[in-house]
Amino acid sequence: MAIYTSLAVSTVILNPSERCLQWSDDGQACITTKAAVHIMTPDLGINFSTPPDIKALQGDEQGEQPLGWFRTMIEPTRGQTHMWPSICQDWGAVTLGSLDVSLRELACSPSNLTSRGRCVIAILNSNAEVSLWAAAKNHLKGEWTNVRAIQDVTGLAWSKQPDYRITPTPILDSSMLALGNRAGCIEFFRFNRNSNSGGSLSHIHTEPSSDHWITHLSWVPWITRAVGHCESLLAFSTDNGNVGLVKVTQNLQSTSTIGFVPEYMTSAVFDIQGPICEADKRSVTALTWVQPPGRNPILVYTKPGIVYLWSWPSSEPTWYGTRILPLQTQKMSVGSSAISPVSGVSYVLHRDALILSLFDGSLHIIHNMTTEPTWSPPLAGNILTSAELSRTSRALFAKVTPAGISYLDVNRIGGMASYDSQSTLIWIYESLRPTDFSYKHEAQHECMLLTAPFWQLDDETVLHTTSEAFSDVSCTSGSAPIHHLRALMLHLRSNARFAALCPQVLEILSQVPPDQTTTIVLPSWTHGLNDDLRPQLRKSLTTHLFGWHNLLSLRMRLSIADLCWKLCKDPEMQAQCGQVAQGLLAAISHCVLRVLVRHLKAIIPVITASDIPFVLREVVQSLLPGSPQDLADEAQALSDTLTTSFSIDPAIAALHEHCPACRAEVPLHDITRATCPNGHAWARCSVTSFILSTSKVRTCIGCSRKALLPFIASDESQLPVAAQSWIVSDLLEAVQRCLFCGNGFVEIV
């Protein structure tokens, strides 16, 4: 029985829920405990000099390797920060959670919202306060800072980004943060990126929904009805058991087509729908949406002892309306009870099944979610039953408890989520004995974080997962590649099967998508070097470097090819992995160079003498052997135009830099490393190819490539003279993720 993670966490979980443990779009597991949010990042796909904080012992006899984890925490203020009685002393304003303030739940924004291209985390505490947090230099191990606070909130949810079916994907935040309050209203906000203060919120709309407290909120993924037109449903529940919907429609409108990329704005319409469940004075304990393929999304909400499923009618012959499924007690311990709160919901795509975890430590599975939900498995002898999953969970509990367990021991699951959307779950639990009434200090409480598969996947399923990972790649979500590839990286690490799978995986990786960057058309800039040019150039560079779906697919394929190369034991197969990786790397480089060359061609009228060294570097790289002919022709045309407009110094044309140590000339022979005649070796910036001679750099977490910091955060005097160009400055600011693997940067120093 494999266990990938077994980690003790000294903490207390007061609010078990389906959101206690959830994944952010940056690929981080966020765990809500009483006093802090623990942010855990698996080391799969992360490659840089800093080792993970936690590395478990070696795997068992089946050959699986344990997961390493990077860990950091967000610790909001424990004390009461907002005195509600000073505002109103009516009974309706009483907040009992202010007596001992604890954390209730959190919501993660889509990725790429902050000035560093990362997620924002909104945390709700028991005093009806929400605080927004963003990572500073290092989101894996570093500090997170508070950027905003809001009062009088009882529930929250953050939507995903809608897909407007526009390519390249525009750099636009259309996600919404929904906050419910005690007045029965739902307020909608949007996060505004701000490089100086971290960010702010702008109010969009307030929707009166009920006369009772809003307790839960959950967004359905956006549905694209037409180009630039999307719809979503926000489900909400109230303290009297009512469940309702708010329909939200967003329309994307072009406000300006002058410049390199169009300017857009969004308009939103909100419409309250009829109730799904009438008030019955039974509180809702969980509320979330699941998305089976080929049908409308399904709303899952639970009340003590009962699971409710609801979906609206569609053109497909699938069920709709409400399905009611009573939970059955799984007698695993003295604390087993079907009326325990639901602490996790996970949809298994390839089994069309829904797994629920309860606070009593049991697991329950609903089959046939697409056709007709039922507790009974579709085939006789199917091991995926509620009883079997609960027994497996209990066996894993026993395996990681050295002292052994008895019927009196309860593994109370506070939060559960899927690791790979298939057989592997990640959950956190606390072991206790309900019959033991002795006092236990808060600091003595200890939870266990486990990651383990509940059944084995065959090779066909793993290969199907590999193919699916690259079949429908979209830049819309802004999610980091390590988040997209988490499941695939886990399955490929299985040493026993990797040798047999590798050739077929390489075949899938070699199916390179058509190059969309060849369709880029940029108008020539004729308005001079004014205040409008630089913001437009930065926005256009970001859009074209990170908004094309084929470029994201190439970056994801390169990450898997690099992983295969590291896992290969056979030299011949490792060489094949290297060939595939080199081909993907060349394709990415050519796409990036084409984007840069076409932008440089568009701004040729405003290029100055200090910009020439960088422009010539891009020309030389585009003319290297192996470059596509169209790219080489464009680069040569750019060079000819530059030569006509400027009298270029031969010393500049040679693209030589000076060694920071001995001042000897360093020729541009390698775009990744620089070595002077005296043997001094230097890394080069992965964005500009200039020598890195300063500690003020950022490091990619996926491939360990380094890049100069944007000038806004660095001292320009420490940069090479040839790099002191406004074009280089704007390019460094536009690139918030690695150009080669697409993952985020961290600042180690």
Side-chain angles (χ1 to χ4, degrees):
M1 187 181 298
I3 296 179
Y4 300 137
T5 300
S6 174
L7 171 65
V9 183
S10 297
T11 187
V12 180
I13 295 179
L14 294 183
N15 297 286
S17 73
E18 82 282 6
R19 295 188 185 176
C20 174
L21 195 160
Q22 57 182 291
W23 291 99
S24 76
D25 283 355
D26 285 335
Q28 299 182 287
C30 303
I31 306 170
T32 307
T33 66
K34 179 181 179 181
V37 174
H38 295 255
I39 302 176
M40 313 285 294
T41 312
D43 66 346
L44 280 174
I46 296 181
N47 303 283
F48 68 110
S49 56
T50 306
D53 300 287
I54 305 155
K55 191 71 174 179
L57 299 176
Q58 289 299 313
D60 62 9
E61 66 279 357
Q62 297 180 23
E64 287 83 358
Q65 300 178 9
L67 285 172
W69 295 83
F70 296 89
R71 178 167 65 176
T72 186
M73 291 169 52
I74 299 176
E75 296 184 274
T77 305
R78 285 292 300 270
Q80 184 177 357
T81 58
H82 196 78
M83 302 292 292
W84 294 107
S86 64
I87 300 175
C88 179
Q89 297 185 358
D90 291 342
W91 282 109
V94 172
T95 304
L96 298 178
S98 62
L99 299 176
D100 182 15
V101 177
S102 61
L103 305 185
R104 284 189 50 202
E105 64 175 314
L106 64 83
C108 297
S109 79
S111 189
N112 211 20
L113 247 61
T114 70
S115 59
R116 287 182 165 90
R118 299 174 188 146
C119 290
V120 178
I121 294 180
I123 302 174
L124 172 64
N125 68 17
S126 58
N127 196 39
E129 300 166 318
V130 166
S131 55
L132 269 63
W133 299 78
K137 292 184 176 183
N138 188 333
H139 64 294
L140 303 182
K141 304 180 64 170
E143 178 187 12
W144 287 62
T145 58
N146 188 358
V147 298
R148 187 66 196 269
I150 306 172
Q151 286 79 40
D152 190 21
V153 179
T154 54
L156 76 170
W158 211 315
S159 78
K160 300 295 184 182
Q161 296 284 13
D163 183 1
Y164 292 113
R165 292 182 185 167
I166 296 175
T167 53
T169 302
I171 304 302
L172 178 73
D173 175 30
S174 295
S175 66
M176 293 185 187
L177 173 62
L179 304 177
N181 58 33
R182 290 177 288 185
C185 296
I186 302 175
E187 296 183 290
F188 297 86
F189 294 87
R190 183 160 287 147
F191 186 81
N192 302 313
R193 178 186 302 184
N194 188 317
S195 59
N196 297 323
S197 62
S200 61
L201 286 179
S202 59
H203 180 265
I204 302 174
H205 178 73
T206 298
E207 184 70 30
S209 305
S210 174
D211 295 331
H212 292 260
W213 289 21
I214 304 294
T215 58
H216 294 78
L217 293 168
S218 182
W219 288 93
V220 72
W222 293 92
I223 300 172
T224 306
R225 299 298 185 188
V227 175
H229 179 82
C230 295
E231 293 179 356
S232 179
L233 290 174
L234 175 68
F236 67 89
S237 65
T238 60
D239 59 2
N240 63 348
N242 177 57
V243 178
L245 297 172
V246 178
K247 182 180 179 181
V248 183
T249 303
Q250 287 201 99
N251 292 295
L252 188 68
Q253 301 169 342
S254 176
T255 58
S256 173
T257 56
I258 301 175
F260 298 127
V261 289
E263 297 287 336
Y264 296 101
M265 66 173 293
T266 57
S267 60
V269 178
F270 301 84
D271 182 22
I272 191 76
Q273 306 290 295
I276 294 174
C277 176
E278 297 288 352
D280 56 7
K281 297 185 179 180
R282 292 184 300 143
S283 61
V284 173
T285 58
L287 181 76
T288 190
W289 293 89
V290 296
Q291 177 65 80
R295 61 153 299 129
N296 288 333
I298 299 172
L299 177 64
V300 182
Y301 64 97
T302 63
K303 297 185 178 184
I306 301 178
V307 179
Y308 296 85
L309 307 175
W310 177 88
S311 185
W312 68 91
S314 70
S315 58
E316 301 295 328
T318 55
W319 68 271
Y320 62 91
T322 301
R323 298 292 186 270
I324 302 175
L325 300 171
L327 288 160
Q328 300 295 323
T329 300
Q330 303 295 323
K331 293 298 293 182
M332 296 290 130
S333 70
V334 69
S336 297
S337 172
I339 63 172
S340 299
V342 171
S343 57
V345 178
S346 172
Y347 177 70
V348 184
L349 178 63
H350 296 291
R351 297 276 186 156
D352 192 28
L354 187 72
I355 298 177
L356 300 96
S357 66
L358 267 57
F359 192 43
D360 68 347
S362 63
L363 296 178
H364 304 256
I365 183 167
I366 301 174
H367 299 274
N368 298 330
M369 288 289 290
T370 301
T371 54
E372 188 59 47
T374 176
W375 293 115
S376 304
L379 299 175
N382 192 326
I383 62 170
L384 292 186
T385 63
S386 300
E388 188 61 34
L389 291 179
S390 297
R391 279 193 290 268
T392 304
S393 171
R394 189 75 176 173
L396 292 168
F397 170 41
K399 185 174 181 178
V400 299
T401 307
I405 63 172
S406 70
Y407 185 73
L408 299 178
D409 295 300
V410 181
N411 54 319
R412 297 202 309 186
I413 299 177
M416 182 275 291
S418 176
Y419 189 96
D420 60 354
S421 298
Q422 296 186 80
S423 63
T424 304
L425 301 179
I426 176 172
W427 69 102
I428 187 168
Y429 71 88
E430 181 180 5
S431 174
L432 55 80
R433 290 192 171 188
T435 56
D436 184 359
F437 292 96
S438 60
Y439 176 72
K440 193 175 185 179
H441 190 269
E442 182 176 315
Q444 296 176 309
H445 285 259
E446 185 178 81
C447 293
M448 290 292 295
L449 179 69
L450 289 187
T451 307
F454 278 71
W455 64 92
Q456 294 299 318
L457 300 180
D458 55 26
D459 292 354
E460 182 180 351
T461 303
V462 175
L463 290 173
H464 186 61
T465 303
T466 306
S467 181
E468 280 189 337
F470 307 110
S471 61
D472 191 22
V473 175
S474 174
C475 303
T476 303
S477 66
S479 302
I482 58 171
H483 179 60
H484 284 297
L485 300 172
R486 181 176 62 247
L488 179 55
M489 288 182 172
L490 178 70
H491 300 319
L492 292 180
R493 283 200 347 164
S494 178
N495 296 338
R497 305 203 311 264
F498 176 74
L501 291 174
C502 188
Q504 299 170 76
V505 172
L506 292 181
E507 183 179 347
I508 295 173
L509 297 180
S510 301
Q511 299 168 7
V512 178
D515 187 358
Q516 296 175 299
T517 61
T518 57
T519 63
I520 297 175
V521 177
L522 299 174
S524 180
W525 186 263
T526 58
H527 306 291
L529 187 56
N530 55 24
D531 294 338
D532 295 332
L533 170 60
R534 296 187 65 177
Q536 286 214 24
L537 179 62
R538 289 193 295 267
K539 190 170 187 177
S540 181
L541 284 169
T542 304
T543 300
H544 289 291
L545 289 172
F546 299 100
W548 292 103
H549 306 316
N550 79 293
L551 197 45
L552 175 59
S553 177
L554 287 172
R555 288 166 175 151
M556 292 169 58
R557 291 169 191 269
L558 178 61
S559 297
I560 297 301
D562 286 342
L563 178 65
C564 291
W565 184 87
K566 293 174 184 176
L567 294 176
C568 268
K569 302 283 175 48
D570 180 14
E572 183 179 347
M573 184 58 64
Q574 190 176 52
Q576 293 183 28
C577 294
Q579 290 177 2
V580 172
Q582 285 297 325
L584 293 168
L585 183 60
I588 294 171
S589 298
H590 296 153
C591 288
V592 171
L593 285 170
R594 184 176 289 107
V595 170
L596 295 179
V597 166
R598 294 194 179 182
H599 279 83
L600 292 173
K601 180 181 177 182
I603 62 171
I604 197 74
V606 294
I607 288 179
T608 62
S610 60
D611 307 321
I612 293 176
F614 173 71
V615 178
L616 291 179
R617 299 176 91 84
E618 302 309 304
V619 169
V620 169
Q621 293 178 55
S622 302
L623 294 174
L624 291 174
S627 296
Q629 189 59 46
D630 65 321
L631 175 59
D633 293 343
E634 292 180 40
Q636 188 61 55
L638 175 63
S639 177
D640 295 342
T641 305
L642 201 66
T643 305
T644 304
S645 305
F646 293 91
S647 177
I648 300 176
D649 186 347
I652 296 177
L655 301 180
H656 287 176
E657 296 175 79
H658 292 285
C659 174
C662 65
R663 309 307 299 170
E665 284 193 347
V666 183
L668 181 62
H669 290 161
D670 186 347
I671 63 171
T672 60
R673 302 286 299 176
T675 305
C676 78
N678 295 323
H680 300 128
W682 306 89
R684 291 189 180 273
C685 172
S686 63
V687 178
T688 65
S689 77
F690 289 111
I691 289 176
L692 295 175
S693 59
T694 174
S695 61
K696 295 184 178 180
V697 298
R698 42 188 170 162
T699 304
C700 172
I701 65 171
C703 62
S704 73
R705 288 180 173 87
K706 298 183 184 297
L708 293 164
L709 286 172
F711 288 169
I712 193 172
S714 63
D715 183 3
E716 187 173 334
S717 63
Q718 297 187 27
L719 299 176
V721 176
Q724 296 176 12
S725 157
W726 70 271
I727 300 177
V728 174
S729 173
D730 286 351
L731 176 60
L732 290 172
E733 193 169 340
V735 175
Q736 292 297 337
R737 287 186 173 177
C738 177
L739 291 175
F740 294 94
C741 74
N743 289 301
F745 291 105
V746 295
E747 298 171 42
I748 300 176
V749 179

